[in-house]
Amino acid sequence: MDLKLPAFRKDIQTVITEAIKQNASHEQLILTLLTNELQQRMINREKARLRSANFPQLKYLQDLDRAELPEDGRARLPELETLEFIKEGRNIICGGSPGTGKTHMAIGLGIKACMQGYSVMFTQVSKLLTQIRECHSSRTLRILESRFEKYDLVICDELGYISFDKQGAEMLFNHLSLRSGIKSTIITSNQSFDKWQDIFGKDTVLTAALLDRLTHKAYLVNMNGKSYRMKETKKMIKPRNGEKLQHA
């Protein structure tokens, strides 16, 4: 029977040679080989979770310039990165100006969750709605819903960049409601709550119901501030060594 021990097979000659040098026992030899196998499997599972999450880029929390974050984001991040919100099934709503680090923070938390064994899904809201519509048309929506419910963490990025018609708004509402109060969802948006009804086809009743479900016991992170990307751009074009910029 194939035991599927690739690390065991790869390391066995090296480990045996080292064991002979150190006069190690057979028990120590086997323990070393099995420990290496376990560690490699954990690394492979972590890589598989990262691939499955479908992050557009690998943006780690340690790469986030915290000093440049809006004040509320900077204050909230130490608590959020403990990932206790996932254990508690609480949501995070990051709302604010474009370019202030919302997506980076969300992806960074998602990557850390993958590394700690949680299943994660990343999607842009527009792509999620397209997927819901396609599954609805092909009568496979329940399969999609079943998968969506099971993720430990779902990240829905860029809510507010496009608005929805009545059917789309209802579909998205029903889909997001599947996780309400059970599993954690992170939503990033460039729109304040009072503008959400514009996103959901001016349906004030549906918008109020969705807000009620998403924000219940949620972390609301105010990410209004100056664009981090714009700051980076200005640094890149800043004159060096007293040079003057050429004007056309």
Side-chain angles (χ1 to χ4, degrees):
M1 182 176 65
D2 185 1
L3 295 177
K4 297 181 180 179
L5 301 172
F8 194 105
R9 292 197 299 270
K10 179 175 72 69
D11 296 342
I12 189 166
Q13 204 58 53
T14 302
V15 173
I16 288 175
T17 301
E18 190 63 28
I20 292 172
K21 287 181 182 179
Q22 297 183 6
N23 197 29
S25 66
H26 292 99
E27 290 83 359
Q28 289 172 318
L29 170 64
I30 293 172
L31 178 61
T32 299
L33 287 168
L34 292 177
T35 299
N36 291 351
E37 181 68 37
L38 178 60
Q39 289 175 342
Q40 189 57 55
R41 289 191 179 195
M42 291 173 68
I43 291 171
N44 291 343
R45 287 170 187 164
E46 181 181 296
K47 289 179 179 178
R49 286 192 296 271
L50 286 170
R51 285 195 303 270
S52 177
N54 201 32
F55 296 116
Q57 295 174 285
L58 293 181
K59 295 185 174 184
Y60 297 88
L61 288 176
Q62 57 264 36
D63 298 328
L64 191 61
D65 189 345
R66 302 188 183 212
E68 297 290 347
L69 287 176
E71 183 179 351
D72 195 42
R74 191 165 60 247
R76 294 273 192 173
L77 188 53
E79 181 179 5
L80 297 179
E81 65 185 342
T82 66
L83 303 185
E84 285 297 311
F85 73 94
I86 299 179
K87 296 178 184 177
E88 297 167 356
R90 297 174 66 180
N91 297 334
I92 300 174
I93 314 294
C94 289
S97 317
T100 54
K102 299 184 297 295
T103 298
H104 191 150
M105 185 186 297
I107 291 176
L109 290 170
I111 290 174
K112 186 168 185 178
C114 286
M115 291 178 169
Q116 293 195 13
Y118 292 109
S119 58
V120 179
M121 170 189 174
F122 178 95
T123 184
Q124 292 177 337
V125 172
S126 58
K127 290 182 179 179
L128 176 62
L129 182 55
T130 298
Q131 191 176 17
I132 294 170
R133 289 186 190 275
E134 290 174 350
C135 289
H136 182 265
S137 298
S138 62
R139 300 181 184 277
T140 58
L141 184 57
R142 187 54 205 149
I143 297 173
L144 178 67
E145 290 175 340
S146 179
R147 290 203 303 265
F148 191 74
E149 288 177 287
K150 290 177 182 177
Y151 286 105
D152 296 310
L153 175 63
V154 168
I155 301 171
C156 294
D157 195 34
E158 296 186 348
L159 177 67
Y161 281 84
I162 62 169
S163 57
F164 315 115
D165 58 20
K166 182 175 177 56
Q167 184 192 46
E170 290 175 352
M171 283 182 165
L172 191 60
F173 169 80
N174 292 332
H175 207 67
L176 291 176
S177 295
L178 294 170
R179 301 175 56 81
S180 179
I182 304 170
K183 294 292 185 71
S184 295
T185 303
I186 298 178
I187 292 181
T188 72
S189 178
N190 65 338
Q191 299 287 353
S192 57
F193 289 146
D194 61 340
K195 299 286 182 62
W196 277 32
Q197 66 179 17
D198 296 333
I199 304 170
F200 291 94
K202 303 288 186 181
D203 191 328
T204 56
V205 175
L206 184 145
T207 304
L210 181 62
L211 277 170
D212 180 65
R213 295 189 183 191
L214 289 179
T215 61
H216 181 60
K217 295 184 178 180
Y219 290 93
L220 308 180
V221 186
N222 183 346
M223 294 291 285
N224 277 314
K226 294 182 179 180
S227 171
Y228 175 78
R229 287 194 293 267
M230 186 59 68
K231 292 176 186 175
E232 288 295 297
T233 301
K234 287 180 178 179
K235 287 179 183 177
M236 290 175 64
I237 65 175
K238 186 177 180 180
R240 294 184 302 237
N241 300 324
E243 296 175 356
K244 293 183 178 180
L245 288 175
Q246 295 291 325
H247 294 282

